[in-house]
Amino acid sequence: MPLGRATAGLPSRVFTSSSRSFSLKEVAWTAGFLEGEGSFGFSETPVVQAKQVQLHPLEKLMEVWGGNIYPVKSVPRCQPCHVWSLCGARAAAMLMTLFILFSPKRRLQVSRVLALWRKQPAANRLKSHCKHGHPFDDSNTR
């Protein structure tokens, strides 16, 4: 089904972060692009990457989702390429947003990454209680 029919009557902005909102078109384009060109991994934190000779799609990913673009060391007789990378909680949020749009194979990869991420202890700034169950408040925190 063409995207236009699937989204008829829905709001044009569907996901809002602290910095911007994402259109359905941007979300769908990202899912399709990463379905074919993305890689999903976990190295102490979720990592989403895409490698390309053409810089434009990576710039679009960076504009929409953030992250960084790095040059990849050239191999003789190969065109120079770049890799876009998004890590941490932003990568996890992106994967959860796009999950339903991915193929079963990609969903399995994403599920594994998110399962590893969820097993990690939360950063201290996100905790509301100590390991003994006592609440953090102004009197016992800095």
Side-chain angles (χ1 to χ4, degrees):
M1 175 182 299
L3 182 60
R5 288 188 198 156
T7 61
L10 294 176
S12 62
R13 306 311 267 183
V14 293
F15 179 80
T16 303
S17 73
S18 59
S19 59
R20 71 184 298 270
S21 59
F22 304 91
S23 70
L24 284 172
K25 185 176 178 181
E26 289 169 328
V27 170
W29 178 86
T30 301
F33 183 78
L34 292 178
E35 177 72 37
E37 303 295 332
S39 66
F40 313 112
F42 188 86
S43 178
E44 296 183 27
T45 187
V47 178
V48 181
Q49 293 184 323
K51 193 176 189 182
Q52 285 283 295
V53 170
Q54 298 297 318
L55 200 52
H56 177 73
L58 303 181
E59 289 170 338
K60 187 172 179 179
L61 285 170
M62 192 168 77
E63 177 187 326
V64 174
W65 300 98
N68 295 291
I69 298 173
Y70 304 100
V72 176
K73 202 170 202 177
S74 296
V75 177
R77 299 182 196 209
C78 290
Q79 293 185 32
C81 63
H82 291 80
V83 63
W84 168 81
S85 183
L86 183 67
C87 303
R90 293 182 84 179
M94 174 197 207
L95 292 174
M96 288 184 271
T97 301
L98 302 176
F99 184 84
I100 195 70
L101 300 172
F102 286 136
S103 68
K105 178 183 174 183
R106 289 297 196 179
R107 286 184 190 178
L108 182 59
Q109 293 170 346
V110 168
S111 295
R112 289 177 180 156
V113 168
L114 293 176
L116 290 169
W117 176 67
R118 287 183 180 114
K119 287 181 184 177
Q120 297 294 308
N124 287 335
R125 64 182 171 78
L126 301 177
K127 294 180 181 177
S128 61
H129 292 73
C130 77
K131 64 181 178 181
H132 303 289
H134 303 104
F136 290 135
D137 59 31
D138 291 337
S139 68
N140 62 15
T141 58
R142 292 183 193 175

